[in-house]
Amino acid sequence: MGGPGNPLAAAVRAALPAGIAVGASAVRPASPSEPPHRGQHRAGREAAAAALCAAGVPTEQPLPRTATGSAAWPAGTTGSISHTNRIALAVAAASAGFRRLGVDLEEAAALPEGVLELVSSDRQLAGLAEVRAAGGGLPLDLVVFSAKEAAAKALGGPEACPPSLRDIDVTLVAEHWAAGRFVARGPHGQVLGGRYLEAAGHVVTACWQGASREVPV
């Protein structure tokens, strides 16, 4: 299990607002009798436990699942989990401070051609072209796709299905060659603040909506 001392967790925690805790856990291979995805699922629950512990809500039990298959976070908290084949990452916070959280973790590689066009509006693609023209070290198509995934998780909630990625608009604000901010807007006027960064060979995006419902920056 990896708490705040895990290099990936520490890099993500440093990029996020105060009050959002982060946990990470390496994916261990499943046993021959287990489905291949079981190791990823287990690592995700371990990362969630680490994030909750860092948030001051220790738990040793795997989080139960809701009807939609997402993790059921303890009362008074909210959170999100993502994983690749190698590592799982989770964010958690008190719901008194944050109404919604979403996180996405992707291997730092080029997004397959045509994928972003399938999940983006013409306006979204035009805005990305402006950011891309400014240069940068990250595959920005992947950043936008990942930001949409993180926002969909945050907007879906524990009992509701997430919105279509095409219905989520992401505006990037590059601050450094490997990091920056974004704003995600949902299909019903929801506005989420977000951060993206490259760490440990991954692109990470995380977004949130504060309890006050003020427009995030």
Side-chain angles (χ1 to χ4, degrees):
M1 186 179 296
N6 176 281
L8 178 62
V12 175
R13 170 74 286 280
L16 299 182
I20 300 178
V22 182
S25 180
V27 175
R28 299 185 299 277
S31 71
S33 62
E34 293 179 317
H37 66 272
R38 186 64 60 82
Q40 297 171 356
H41 176 83
R42 182 166 48 239
R45 295 308 189 257
E46 291 174 351
L52 286 168
C53 185
V57 187
T59 176
E60 296 181 358
Q61 300 298 321
L63 297 181
R65 302 180 72 177
T66 69
T68 62
S70 62
W73 295 83
T77 69
T78 185
S80 182
I81 303 169
S82 186
H83 60 73
T84 65
N85 292 330
R86 294 192 290 134
I87 193 165
L89 184 72
V91 293
S95 51
F98 295 89
R99 295 182 64 241
R100 304 175 188 271
L101 285 179
V103 69
D104 187 65
L105 180 68
E106 304 283 346
E107 298 276 358
L111 191 69
E113 186 175 353
V115 170
L116 190 62
E117 286 75 8
L118 289 175
V119 298
S120 299
S121 66
D122 290 342
R123 186 168 70 86
Q124 170 78 84
L125 295 172
L128 178 59
E130 294 180 6
V131 177
R132 190 185 288 115
L138 285 178
L140 294 182
D141 286 13
L142 179 65
V143 172
V144 171
F145 176 83
S146 179
K148 284 172 173 277
E149 289 277 6
K153 291 179 183 180
L155 294 171
E159 301 298 338
C161 292
S164 165
L165 298 189
R166 191 174 181 85
D167 293 333
I168 298 172
D169 187 76
V170 170
T171 302
L172 298 181
V173 182
E175 295 177 339
H176 185 265
W177 71 272
R181 296 178 290 128
F182 67 89
V183 175
R185 293 177 171 83
H188 304 295
Q190 311 100 316
V191 181
L192 307 174
R195 295 289 186 273
Y196 68 87
L197 69 151
E198 182 178 19
H202 291 80
V203 165
V204 182
T205 58
C207 60
W208 62 88
Q209 185 179 61
S212 68
R213 300 198 185 196
E214 294 180 355
V215 175
V217 295

